[in-house]
Amino acid sequence: MPLLEPEPEALRSGTAREPAPDRVTDRSATGTPEPLRAELTALLGADKVLWKISDLVRYASDASPYRFLPRVVLVPEDIDDISAILSYAHGKGREVVFRAAGTSLNGQAQGEDILVDVRRHWTGIEVLDDGARARIRPGTTVLRANTTLARYGRLLGPDPASAIACTVGGVVANNASGMTAGTTRNSYRTLASLTFVLPSGTVVDTAGPTADEELVRAEPDLCAGLLALKAEIEADEELTSRIRAKYAIKNTNGYRLDAFLDGATPVQILRGLMVGSEGTFGFISETVFDTLPLDRRVTSALLFFPSLTAAAAAVPRFNEAGAIAVEVMDGNTLRASVSVKGVPADWAALPRETAALLVEFRAPDEAGQEAFEEAAAGVMRGLDLVVPAASVTNAFTRDAGTIAGYWKARKAFVTAVGGSRPSGTTLITEDFAVPPDRLADACEALLELQSRHGFDAAVAGHAAHGNLHFLLAFDAALPADVERYDAFMQEFCALVVDRFDGSLKAEHATGRNIAPFLEREWGERATELMWRTKQVIDPEGVLAPRIVLDRDPRAHLRGLKTIPKVEAVADPCIECGFCEPTCPSEDLTTTPRQRIVLRREMMRQADGSPVEAGLLDAYGYDAVDTCAGDSTCKLACPVGIDTGAMMKGFRHRRHTPREERIAALTAKNFRVVEASARLAVAAGDAIGKRGGDRLLASVTRLARRAVRPDLVPEWLPQLPGSAARELPRTTQVGASAVYYPACVNRIFAGPEAGPGGTPGLSLAEAVVALSERAGKPVWIPGDVTGTCCATIWHSKGYDAGNRVMANRIVEAAWGWTAGGTLPLVVDASSCTLGIAEEVVPYLSEDNRELTVVDSLVWAARELLPELTVFARAGSAVVHPTCSMEHLGDVEQLRALAEACAEEVTVPDGAGCCAFAGDRGMLHKELTDAATAKEAAEVNSRDYDVYLSANRMCEIGMERATGQPYRSALIELERATRPPGR
């Protein structure tokens, strides 16, 4: 054990608490039992079997109110692995559930036996027919697919609010639709073909010219059974009519019985049945979608009404005018959304009865847009709108920023309302549809029902399609609260079915939540046909039992999860999973959601239980050490939960008083530390150039094992040499800005050479030269050495050191800028962010006028307009850093790159590289995992230049791709350098 390895006990809560009724029991503390673990390891390999208790717990929760602990989690890489898993399950009588993003809201991504992660190794999109179609693997997020398709002016039909995180496979398996899909643009209507694996292991490609012949040979009983069911359904005119009527509105409750009417052959029938089957019929390994035009001329409005029913009454008129989306939000939703960045603060005081419609028109051209706007104006003249807050305009707009703000508030419905729920309560998301012309009546009835059962629910939804969502919060640890929820559900289901002939799940799928009420909606005859369909396709019941079909009338109450209180920064989390795709450690250890899920399980446990001990033992590395601390989770979370900040807090808790004192000492003596670091880098570079990289790596690895991996960096061959001791000479007189070279650029050298082997400038030399060339010279103070943005200490949780350096840089910067008279230009985006976040809190009222500008912004806004480009590269690929995302500077990076190159590419898979200062040297496996997808995309072709704007991120990307990344400012200096100089 390393000498300074922190004690897991440092992260123990220590609070007095009663064990929760749904805690993981002690018998599961050792993880996956034998012989299950050994058999699956022999079958698939150890790296595809997750068996620790921490693995099982982190996969036990999803975005739903349910929680089921799997016996084992498997991570297959290909169809052969899937077939092997299914064959094993058949032979051993085991059950299998597939899970992709875990954003489903009804528990369909949870299993109690074998849980299979089909996200990690199942991403990718291939554009076909110039964008008219797209072949998409199931683990690809909808956002990622649409980002690629946007280049071709196309998009997918389904557009769920969780597009940032939900996967295409999950969207198809649930037939999730979203704001605009309705009944015509969903997966059922826009899928061209599917490839899937049946429970027996048979692989079916519905696009194959001989697919039916092959299926008959492989599965004769299945084919005969499907055709028999088809004949039986078609012979019953009343049932056929009922099925068609049920799908006239949005409906994802039960199986798609219309597949028997729409499909002529077993393969065609299966193609339809797989949509919305929630993983109970097979595994969808590939999809081919017919895409839709991306109409870019958009006009939108957020219109406020005195009541929900008044808003609902206006919906048919906007539908008739051609609106592609009409979204409704009630007063509770609007008030809760103030927690979303950019939402007007005065919405917090909106009257409870207020409601709003978000109405959007999309057109391919100006003429179409004008026609829609004229039709919208006609509707507006007959509306009784209200202005309950100063920020309300009740006007249509074309402004993209304003429209994006409206949609951000709408899409945050579940997370914003869920985040504002009482601490410790469980959130239930219900989803139903009624005929659109009955929407106003349904709203009135729903509000009355909620009030009668003591729920002050929030309501929102796709009003254009008669589809409403509402959220209920209750304490799952209190039996009386659970019974209150059950009583509500019984009446709610009766209301939707008996009074409105609606669907109990419009787009969220049946899951576990509505399975007991399936027959209430469909009737005995249709429900029994669904059971028989399941028997034909999965006769041994291997796949997802108790999902979709369950005869237990109280199944919706089984497995409800309690939500114990955790650290304040994470307590509002509803475990939606929106944060996961942005997380650098997603494919290595844990995600932000899983870090919170694991913490909550610790709080469910009795203090000192075997389960808590097992979780604490794994948490140090899996959660704390391998968190990059980049806080991109905060950007993805609609309510801004910063799990990175929580991990930094845990790092601080693990520090001993002695470690804190040493960290403060390094801050006080940073001038010496900086010089020593530069000397160490120079020595390492010299040894490495003499073939000693392997020796240096071996020595540092030994030191890491002896001391502590999270303290001693590992030598990487990609590390550059040391920077020059002296910074470029500048003068204070006539300076337009103060230039602050970050410590990383004072320690590490820049790229050794430019394109074609031309001598390379340091970043400091490039910034000085560019500023002088543009007529806006900068001044580098003579005493910048020994100062830092404080991120070094903050990111590691060294509070005392952070305070020392933050105060030092505040005092120095105030003096350098003559009391804020000049802007402070910082040449590393992470340091710009560090000063903005870690230094600003130390500013006094007297010096809050300090203006901190990232060098990218300085160059793009102040210098570029004054520069002449003489030599552009042919192509450039750009790596935006996570700090740029936080600062909103990505477009400035693109602007600089476009000045330097004819063609500029930002990879669709670009994300945080996780080098995070020195974390890439402390845990290089983190950077390897974080950059894998982006690196593969970058290396799929050649570029002339590889650009970013942070030295450590450039090193991380160079390590990942083998390509020479450099600062965009260095390339801009080369591009604008007059010929002959």
Side-chain angles (χ1 to χ4, degrees), residues 739 745 750-751 761-764 766-767 770 827-828 854-856 859 879 884 893 896-897 900 945-951 954-955 964-974:
Y739 171 31
N745 294 318
L761 294 180
S762 70
L763 178 57
V767 172
L770 280 169
D827 67 3
D854 190 77
S855 57
L856 282 177
H879 172 70
M884 295 175 201
L893 176 63
L896 297 184
C900 299
V945 290
Y946 299 79
L947 304 178
S948 190
N950 187 293
R951 193 69 189 107
E954 292 158 19
I955 295 169
Y965 275 79
R966 65 184 61 246
S967 171
L969 279 79
I970 292 177
E971 185 61 22
L972 182 65
E973 191 285 325
R974 185 197 66 79

mmCIF file of all heavy atoms in Angstrom, residues 739 745 750-751 761-764 766-767 770 827-828 854-856 859 879 884 893 896-897 900 945-951 954-955 964-974:
data_model
loop_
_atom_site.group_PDB
_atom_site.id
_atom_site.type_symbol
_atom_site.label_atom_id
_atom_site.label_comp_id
_atom_site.label_asym_id
_atom_site.label_seq_id
_atom_site.Cartn_x
_atom_site.Cartn_y
_atom_site.Cartn_z
ATOM 1 N N TYR A 739 -0.673 41.501 -20.020
ATOM 2 C CA TYR A 739 -0.638 40.106 -20.477
ATOM 3 C C TYR A 739 -0.066 39.246 -19.349
ATOM 4 O O TYR A 739 1.050 39.467 -18.892
ATOM 5 C CB TYR A 739 0.201 40.001 -21.747
ATOM 6 C CG TYR A 739 0.503 38.586 -22.200
ATOM 7 C CD1 TYR A 739 -0.387 37.521 -21.964
ATOM 8 C CD2 TYR A 739 1.680 38.307 -22.895
ATOM 9 C CE1 TYR A 739 -0.101 36.243 -22.385
ATOM 10 C CE2 TYR A 739 1.969 37.020 -23.326
ATOM 11 C CZ TYR A 739 1.089 35.999 -23.061
ATOM 12 O OH TYR A 739 1.381 34.715 -23.470
ATOM 13 N N ASN A 745 2.548 27.834 -19.023
ATOM 14 C CA ASN A 745 3.294 28.292 -20.191
ATOM 15 C C ASN A 745 4.638 28.897 -19.801
ATOM 16 O O ASN A 745 5.477 29.154 -20.678
ATOM 17 C CB ASN A 745 2.457 29.308 -20.974
ATOM 18 C CG ASN A 745 1.223 28.671 -21.582
ATOM 19 O OD1 ASN A 745 1.284 27.574 -22.110
ATOM 20 N ND2 ASN A 745 0.079 29.345 -21.476
ATOM 21 N N GLY A 750 6.514 25.554 -25.751
ATOM 22 C CA GLY A 750 5.498 25.365 -26.768
ATOM 23 C C GLY A 750 5.941 24.321 -27.769
ATOM 24 O O GLY A 750 6.945 23.623 -27.572
ATOM 25 N N PRO A 751 5.224 24.189 -28.875
ATOM 26 C CA PRO A 751 5.592 23.216 -29.908
ATOM 27 C C PRO A 751 6.964 23.541 -30.481
ATOM 28 O O PRO A 751 7.333 24.709 -30.606
ATOM 29 C CB PRO A 751 4.485 23.357 -30.951
ATOM 30 C CG PRO A 751 3.915 24.717 -30.725
ATOM 31 C CD PRO A 751 4.034 24.981 -29.262
ATOM 32 N N LEU A 761 7.503 29.582 -32.363
ATOM 33 C CA LEU A 761 7.556 30.578 -31.307
ATOM 34 C C LEU A 761 6.909 30.021 -30.051
ATOM 35 O O LEU A 761 6.056 29.131 -30.108
ATOM 36 C CB LEU A 761 6.802 31.841 -31.728
ATOM 37 C CG LEU A 761 7.352 32.663 -32.893
ATOM 38 C CD1 LEU A 761 6.439 33.859 -33.131
ATOM 39 C CD2 LEU A 761 8.774 33.129 -32.614
ATOM 40 N N SER A 762 7.276 30.561 -28.920
ATOM 41 C CA SER A 762 6.543 30.242 -27.700
ATOM 42 C C SER A 762 5.203 30.962 -27.747
ATOM 43 O O SER A 762 5.012 31.911 -28.532
ATOM 44 C CB SER A 762 7.330 30.693 -26.470
ATOM 45 O OG SER A 762 7.352 32.122 -26.392
ATOM 46 N N LEU A 763 4.271 30.542 -26.927
ATOM 47 C CA LEU A 763 2.975 31.201 -26.909
ATOM 48 C C LEU A 763 3.120 32.655 -26.496
ATOM 49 O O LEU A 763 2.478 33.539 -27.068
ATOM 50 C CB LEU A 763 2.024 30.459 -25.960
ATOM 51 C CG LEU A 763 0.630 31.070 -25.790
ATOM 52 C CD1 LEU A 763 -0.083 31.193 -27.141
ATOM 53 C CD2 LEU A 763 -0.208 30.237 -24.829
ATOM 54 N N ALA A 764 3.958 32.915 -25.492
ATOM 55 C CA ALA A 764 4.151 34.296 -25.046
ATOM 56 C C ALA A 764 4.695 35.163 -26.176
ATOM 57 O O ALA A 764 4.242 36.302 -26.385
ATOM 58 C CB ALA A 764 5.088 34.324 -23.840
ATOM 59 N N ALA A 766 4.247 34.653 -29.349
ATOM 60 C CA ALA A 766 3.194 34.812 -30.344
ATOM 61 C C ALA A 766 2.181 35.867 -29.918
ATOM 62 O O ALA A 766 1.760 36.703 -30.730
ATOM 63 C CB ALA A 766 2.495 33.477 -30.570
ATOM 64 N N VAL A 767 1.777 35.849 -28.651
ATOM 65 C CA VAL A 767 0.794 36.825 -28.176
ATOM 66 C C VAL A 767 1.364 38.241 -28.246
ATOM 67 O O VAL A 767 0.685 39.182 -28.693
ATOM 68 C CB VAL A 767 0.354 36.494 -26.744
ATOM 69 C CG1 VAL A 767 -0.524 37.609 -26.174
ATOM 70 C CG2 VAL A 767 -0.412 35.172 -26.707
ATOM 71 N N LEU A 770 1.568 39.245 -32.019
ATOM 72 C CA LEU A 770 0.250 39.516 -32.586
ATOM 73 C C LEU A 770 -0.298 40.854 -32.101
ATOM 74 O O LEU A 770 -0.854 41.635 -32.886
ATOM 75 C CB LEU A 770 -0.709 38.399 -32.204
ATOM 76 C CG LEU A 770 -0.649 37.098 -33.016
ATOM 77 C CD1 LEU A 770 -1.479 36.020 -32.332
ATOM 78 C CD2 LEU A 770 -1.156 37.317 -34.441
ATOM 79 N N ASP A 827 -3.426 33.660 -20.943
ATOM 80 C CA ASP A 827 -3.192 32.849 -22.138
ATOM 81 C C ASP A 827 -3.466 31.353 -21.964
ATOM 82 O O ASP A 827 -2.995 30.536 -22.751
ATOM 83 C CB ASP A 827 -1.765 33.058 -22.666
ATOM 84 C CG ASP A 827 -0.697 32.527 -21.736
ATOM 85 O OD1 ASP A 827 -1.027 31.943 -20.686
ATOM 86 O OD2 ASP A 827 0.497 32.692 -22.062
ATOM 87 N N ALA A 828 -4.235 30.967 -20.965
ATOM 88 C CA ALA A 828 -4.690 29.581 -20.836
ATOM 89 C C ALA A 828 -6.137 29.637 -20.365
ATOM 90 O O ALA A 828 -6.432 30.240 -19.319
ATOM 91 C CB ALA A 828 -3.835 28.806 -19.852
ATOM 92 N N ASP A 854 -9.845 36.158 -21.679
ATOM 93 C CA ASP A 854 -9.059 35.055 -22.211
ATOM 94 C C ASP A 854 -8.350 35.498 -23.486
ATOM 95 O O ASP A 854 -8.883 36.307 -24.263
ATOM 96 C CB ASP A 854 -9.965 33.862 -22.501
ATOM 97 C CG ASP A 854 -9.165 32.619 -22.824
ATOM 98 O OD1 ASP A 854 -8.637 32.008 -21.886
ATOM 99 O OD2 ASP A 854 -9.055 32.277 -24.016
ATOM 100 N N SER A 855 -7.164 34.965 -23.708
ATOM 101 C CA SER A 855 -6.377 35.374 -24.874
ATOM 102 C C SER A 855 -7.101 35.068 -26.182
ATOM 103 O O SER A 855 -6.910 35.775 -27.179
ATOM 104 C CB SER A 855 -5.008 34.685 -24.856
ATOM 105 O OG SER A 855 -5.151 33.282 -24.812
ATOM 106 N N LEU A 856 -7.927 34.026 -26.201
ATOM 107 C CA LEU A 856 -8.717 33.738 -27.397
ATOM 108 C C LEU A 856 -9.654 34.894 -27.729
ATOM 109 O O LEU A 856 -9.778 35.316 -28.875
ATOM 110 C CB LEU A 856 -9.559 32.478 -27.173
ATOM 111 C CG LEU A 856 -8.901 31.113 -27.274
ATOM 112 C CD1 LEU A 856 -9.924 30.046 -26.937
ATOM 113 C CD2 LEU A 856 -8.345 30.884 -28.658
ATOM 114 N N ALA A 859 -7.728 37.955 -28.872
ATOM 115 C CA ALA A 859 -7.263 37.843 -30.248
ATOM 116 C C ALA A 859 -8.412 37.947 -31.241
ATOM 117 O O ALA A 859 -8.305 38.620 -32.275
ATOM 118 C CB ALA A 859 -6.516 36.526 -30.439
ATOM 119 N N HIS A 879 -9.619 21.435 -31.149
ATOM 120 C CA HIS A 879 -10.059 20.818 -29.893
ATOM 121 C C HIS A 879 -10.488 21.918 -28.931
ATOM 122 O O HIS A 879 -9.658 22.572 -28.304
ATOM 123 C CB HIS A 879 -8.937 19.998 -29.258
ATOM 124 C CG HIS A 879 -9.276 19.509 -27.879
ATOM 125 N ND1 HIS A 879 -10.217 18.531 -27.646
ATOM 126 C CD2 HIS A 879 -8.830 19.893 -26.645
ATOM 127 C CE1 HIS A 879 -10.320 18.325 -26.341
ATOM 128 N NE2 HIS A 879 -9.498 19.142 -25.709
ATOM 129 N N MET A 884 -13.093 26.457 -22.168
ATOM 130 C CA MET A 884 -13.722 27.306 -23.179
ATOM 131 C C MET A 884 -15.232 27.144 -23.162
ATOM 132 O O MET A 884 -15.981 28.109 -23.352
ATOM 133 C CB MET A 884 -13.196 26.942 -24.567
ATOM 134 C CG MET A 884 -11.729 27.214 -24.795
ATOM 135 S SD MET A 884 -11.240 26.604 -26.431
ATOM 136 C CE MET A 884 -9.473 26.444 -26.205
ATOM 137 N N LEU A 893 -12.529 30.489 -30.613
ATOM 138 C CA LEU A 893 -11.514 29.548 -31.091
ATOM 139 C C LEU A 893 -11.766 29.197 -32.552
ATOM 140 O O LEU A 893 -10.839 29.153 -33.368
ATOM 141 C CB LEU A 893 -11.529 28.287 -30.234
ATOM 142 C CG LEU A 893 -10.582 27.158 -30.688
ATOM 143 C CD1 LEU A 893 -9.127 27.601 -30.625
ATOM 144 C CD2 LEU A 893 -10.794 25.904 -29.836
ATOM 145 N N LEU A 896 -10.690 32.090 -34.855
ATOM 146 C CA LEU A 896 -9.238 32.141 -35.068
ATOM 147 C C LEU A 896 -8.801 31.050 -36.028
ATOM 148 O O LEU A 896 -7.966 31.274 -36.914
ATOM 149 C CB LEU A 896 -8.502 31.999 -33.736
ATOM 150 C CG LEU A 896 -8.732 33.106 -32.703
ATOM 151 C CD1 LEU A 896 -7.862 32.869 -31.470
ATOM 152 C CD2 LEU A 896 -8.448 34.481 -33.291
ATOM 153 N N ALA A 897 -9.357 29.851 -35.851
ATOM 154 C CA ALA A 897 -8.996 28.745 -36.732
ATOM 155 C C ALA A 897 -9.404 29.038 -38.166
ATOM 156 O O ALA A 897 -8.667 28.732 -39.115
ATOM 157 C CB ALA A 897 -9.640 27.455 -36.237
ATOM 158 N N CYS A 900 -7.029 31.022 -39.974
ATOM 159 C CA CYS A 900 -5.756 30.353 -40.244
ATOM 160 C C CYS A 900 -5.857 29.248 -41.279
ATOM 161 O O CYS A 900 -4.830 28.796 -41.806
ATOM 162 C CB CYS A 900 -5.198 29.745 -38.953
ATOM 163 S SG CYS A 900 -4.865 30.934 -37.649
ATOM 164 N N VAL A 945 -3.087 21.356 -39.783
ATOM 165 C CA VAL A 945 -2.747 21.850 -38.449
ATOM 166 C C VAL A 945 -3.758 21.337 -37.437
ATOM 167 O O VAL A 945 -4.924 21.093 -37.771
ATOM 168 C CB VAL A 945 -2.679 23.399 -38.394
ATOM 169 C CG1 VAL A 945 -1.479 23.916 -39.156
ATOM 170 C CG2 VAL A 945 -3.951 24.032 -38.925
ATOM 171 N N TYR A 946 -3.305 21.193 -36.199
ATOM 172 C CA TYR A 946 -4.110 20.668 -35.091
ATOM 173 C C TYR A 946 -4.077 21.719 -33.986
ATOM 174 O O TYR A 946 -3.017 22.004 -33.427
ATOM 175 C CB TYR A 946 -3.525 19.338 -34.617
ATOM 176 C CG TYR A 946 -3.529 18.272 -35.689
ATOM 177 C CD1 TYR A 946 -2.563 18.259 -36.691
ATOM 178 C CD2 TYR A 946 -4.523 17.294 -35.721
ATOM 179 C CE1 TYR A 946 -2.577 17.302 -37.699
ATOM 180 C CE2 TYR A 946 -4.536 16.328 -36.716
ATOM 181 C CZ TYR A 946 -3.568 16.341 -37.701
ATOM 182 O OH TYR A 946 -3.589 15.379 -38.696
ATOM 183 N N LEU A 947 -5.231 22.305 -33.680
ATOM 184 C CA LEU A 947 -5.267 23.511 -32.858
ATOM 185 C C LEU A 947 -6.089 23.352 -31.587
ATOM 186 O O LEU A 947 -7.111 22.657 -31.560
ATOM 187 C CB LEU A 947 -5.844 24.676 -33.669
ATOM 188 C CG LEU A 947 -5.136 25.012 -34.983
ATOM 189 C CD1 LEU A 947 -5.861 26.141 -35.687
ATOM 190 C CD2 LEU A 947 -3.668 25.353 -34.750
ATOM 191 N N SER A 948 -5.650 24.041 -30.546
ATOM 192 C CA SER A 948 -6.411 24.193 -29.317
ATOM 193 C C SER A 948 -5.945 25.516 -28.696
ATOM 194 O O SER A 948 -5.497 26.403 -29.426
ATOM 195 C CB SER A 948 -6.182 23.010 -28.377
ATOM 196 O OG SER A 948 -7.105 23.062 -27.303
ATOM 197 N N ALA A 949 -6.037 25.640 -27.391
ATOM 198 C CA ALA A 949 -5.585 26.886 -26.769
ATOM 199 C C ALA A 949 -5.325 26.692 -25.283
ATOM 200 O O ALA A 949 -5.627 27.566 -24.477
ATOM 201 C CB ALA A 949 -6.593 28.014 -26.997
ATOM 202 N N ASN A 950 -4.779 25.547 -24.925
ATOM 203 C CA ASN A 950 -4.367 25.304 -23.553
ATOM 204 C C ASN A 950 -3.248 24.268 -23.622
ATOM 205 O O ASN A 950 -3.434 23.186 -24.179
ATOM 206 C CB ASN A 950 -5.538 24.782 -22.713
ATOM 207 C CG ASN A 950 -5.184 24.687 -21.245
ATOM 208 O OD1 ASN A 950 -4.354 23.878 -20.855
ATOM 209 N ND2 ASN A 950 -5.835 25.502 -20.427
ATOM 210 N N ARG A 951 -2.074 24.582 -23.061
ATOM 211 C CA ARG A 951 -0.891 23.751 -23.289
ATOM 212 C C ARG A 951 -1.082 22.323 -22.806
ATOM 213 O O ARG A 951 -0.692 21.371 -23.494
ATOM 214 C CB ARG A 951 0.338 24.368 -22.594
ATOM 215 C CG ARG A 951 1.649 23.720 -23.046
ATOM 216 C CD ARG A 951 1.943 24.069 -24.489
ATOM 217 N NE ARG A 951 3.052 23.316 -25.049
ATOM 218 C CZ ARG A 951 2.920 22.334 -25.935
ATOM 219 N NH1 ARG A 951 1.713 21.958 -26.325
ATOM 220 N NH2 ARG A 951 3.967 21.724 -26.444
ATOM 221 N N GLU A 954 -3.314 20.450 -25.117
ATOM 222 C CA GLU A 954 -2.584 20.149 -26.348
ATOM 223 C C GLU A 954 -1.712 18.916 -26.153
ATOM 224 O O GLU A 954 -1.622 18.046 -27.038
ATOM 225 C CB GLU A 954 -1.737 21.356 -26.763
ATOM 226 C CG GLU A 954 -2.561 22.551 -27.215
ATOM 227 C CD GLU A 954 -1.796 23.865 -27.120
ATOM 228 O OE1 GLU A 954 -0.552 23.832 -27.050
ATOM 229 O OE2 GLU A 954 -2.448 24.926 -27.086
ATOM 230 N N ILE A 955 -1.080 18.809 -24.983
ATOM 231 C CA ILE A 955 -0.270 17.628 -24.686
ATOM 232 C C ILE A 955 -1.156 16.388 -24.623
ATOM 233 O O ILE A 955 -0.812 15.326 -25.154
ATOM 234 C CB ILE A 955 0.490 17.822 -23.352
ATOM 235 C CG1 ILE A 955 1.500 18.961 -23.484
ATOM 236 C CG2 ILE A 955 1.183 16.536 -22.929
ATOM 237 C CD1 ILE A 955 2.099 19.404 -22.157
ATOM 238 N N PRO A 964 0.669 16.826 -33.730
ATOM 239 C CA PRO A 964 1.266 17.978 -33.019
ATOM 240 C C PRO A 964 0.282 19.116 -32.781
ATOM 241 O O PRO A 964 0.185 20.041 -33.585
ATOM 242 C CB PRO A 964 2.386 18.402 -33.973
ATOM 243 C CG PRO A 964 1.863 18.044 -35.338
ATOM 244 C CD PRO A 964 1.044 16.787 -35.152
ATOM 245 N N TYR A 965 -0.456 19.064 -31.698
ATOM 246 C CA TYR A 965 -1.391 20.141 -31.369
ATOM 247 C C TYR A 965 -0.626 21.380 -30.901
ATOM 248 O O TYR A 965 0.404 21.281 -30.226
ATOM 249 C CB TYR A 965 -2.369 19.692 -30.291
ATOM 250 C CG TYR A 965 -3.566 18.954 -30.841
ATOM 251 C CD1 TYR A 965 -3.469 17.614 -31.208
ATOM 252 C CD2 TYR A 965 -4.793 19.591 -31.024
ATOM 253 C CE1 TYR A 965 -4.569 16.925 -31.736
ATOM 254 C CE2 TYR A 965 -5.893 18.914 -31.537
ATOM 255 C CZ TYR A 965 -5.765 17.587 -31.890
ATOM 256 O OH TYR A 965 -6.853 16.919 -32.408
ATOM 257 N N ARG A 966 -1.150 22.544 -31.264
ATOM 258 C CA ARG A 966 -0.538 23.812 -30.867
ATOM 259 C C ARG A 966 -1.639 24.828 -30.592
ATOM 260 O O ARG A 966 -2.798 24.621 -30.967
ATOM 261 C CB ARG A 966 0.386 24.325 -31.968
ATOM 262 C CG ARG A 966 -0.356 24.694 -33.259
ATOM 263 C CD ARG A 966 0.580 25.123 -34.390
ATOM 264 N NE ARG A 966 1.479 24.060 -34.753
ATOM 265 C CZ ARG A 966 2.793 24.120 -34.568
ATOM 266 N NH1 ARG A 966 3.344 25.204 -34.045
ATOM 267 N NH2 ARG A 966 3.569 23.119 -34.913
ATOM 268 N N SER A 967 -1.256 25.928 -29.994
ATOM 269 C CA SER A 967 -2.213 26.993 -29.721
ATOM 270 C C SER A 967 -2.649 27.658 -31.013
ATOM 271 O O SER A 967 -1.845 27.907 -31.921
ATOM 272 C CB SER A 967 -1.597 28.040 -28.798
ATOM 273 O OG SER A 967 -2.446 29.175 -28.704
ATOM 274 N N ALA A 968 -3.922 27.993 -31.089
ATOM 275 C CA ALA A 968 -4.436 28.713 -32.251
ATOM 276 C C ALA A 968 -3.778 30.084 -32.377
ATOM 277 O O ALA A 968 -3.666 30.618 -33.485
ATOM 278 C CB ALA A 968 -5.955 28.858 -32.133
ATOM 279 N N LEU A 969 -3.321 30.626 -31.261
ATOM 280 C CA LEU A 969 -2.660 31.932 -31.334
ATOM 281 C C LEU A 969 -1.289 31.819 -31.983
ATOM 282 O O LEU A 969 -0.847 32.731 -32.693
ATOM 283 C CB LEU A 969 -2.552 32.560 -29.943
ATOM 284 C CG LEU A 969 -3.825 33.263 -29.459
ATOM 285 C CD1 LEU A 969 -4.838 32.259 -28.952
ATOM 286 C CD2 LEU A 969 -3.511 34.270 -28.375
ATOM 287 N N ILE A 970 -0.587 30.728 -31.741
ATOM 288 C CA ILE A 970 0.693 30.502 -32.414
ATOM 289 C C ILE A 970 0.469 30.367 -33.916
ATOM 290 O O ILE A 970 1.220 30.926 -34.731
ATOM 291 C CB ILE A 970 1.394 29.258 -31.840
ATOM 292 C CG1 ILE A 970 1.829 29.514 -30.396
ATOM 293 C CG2 ILE A 970 2.578 28.841 -32.700
ATOM 294 C CD1 ILE A 970 2.470 28.320 -29.722
ATOM 295 N N GLU A 971 -0.578 29.655 -34.297
ATOM 296 C CA GLU A 971 -0.875 29.492 -35.726
ATOM 297 C C GLU A 971 -1.328 30.805 -36.339
ATOM 298 O O GLU A 971 -1.000 31.114 -37.494
ATOM 299 C CB GLU A 971 -1.945 28.420 -35.907
ATOM 300 C CG GLU A 971 -2.258 28.080 -37.348
ATOM 301 C CD GLU A 971 -1.069 27.535 -38.127
ATOM 302 O OE1 GLU A 971 -0.110 27.028 -37.497
ATOM 303 O OE2 GLU A 971 -1.079 27.622 -39.372
ATOM 304 N N LEU A 972 -2.069 31.611 -35.584
ATOM 305 C CA LEU A 972 -2.504 32.918 -36.085
ATOM 306 C C LEU A 972 -1.301 33.816 -36.318
ATOM 307 O O LEU A 972 -1.263 34.569 -37.302
ATOM 308 C CB LEU A 972 -3.475 33.564 -35.094
ATOM 309 C CG LEU A 972 -4.055 34.919 -35.521
ATOM 310 C CD1 LEU A 972 -4.935 34.767 -36.764
ATOM 311 C CD2 LEU A 972 -4.857 35.549 -34.388
ATOM 312 N N GLU A 973 -0.313 33.740 -35.433
ATOM 313 C CA GLU A 973 0.895 34.545 -35.629
ATOM 314 C C GLU A 973 1.593 34.141 -36.930
ATOM 315 O O GLU A 973 2.040 35.003 -37.700
ATOM 316 C CB GLU A 973 1.833 34.361 -34.434
ATOM 317 C CG GLU A 973 2.998 35.343 -34.381
ATOM 318 C CD GLU A 973 4.101 35.025 -35.382
ATOM 319 O OE1 GLU A 973 4.352 33.821 -35.625
ATOM 320 O OE2 GLU A 973 4.718 35.976 -35.928
ATOM 321 N N ARG A 974 1.661 32.839 -37.177
ATOM 322 C CA ARG A 974 2.302 32.374 -38.411
ATOM 323 C C ARG A 974 1.511 32.835 -39.636
ATOM 324 O O ARG A 974 2.088 33.292 -40.635
ATOM 325 C CB ARG A 974 2.394 30.850 -38.411
ATOM 326 C CG ARG A 974 3.155 30.262 -39.600
ATOM 327 C CD ARG A 974 2.871 28.783 -39.777
ATOM 328 N NE ARG A 974 1.490 28.520 -40.144
ATOM 329 C CZ ARG A 974 1.001 28.673 -41.381
ATOM 330 N NH1 ARG A 974 1.793 29.067 -42.355
ATOM 331 N NH2 ARG A 974 -0.262 28.418 -41.629
#
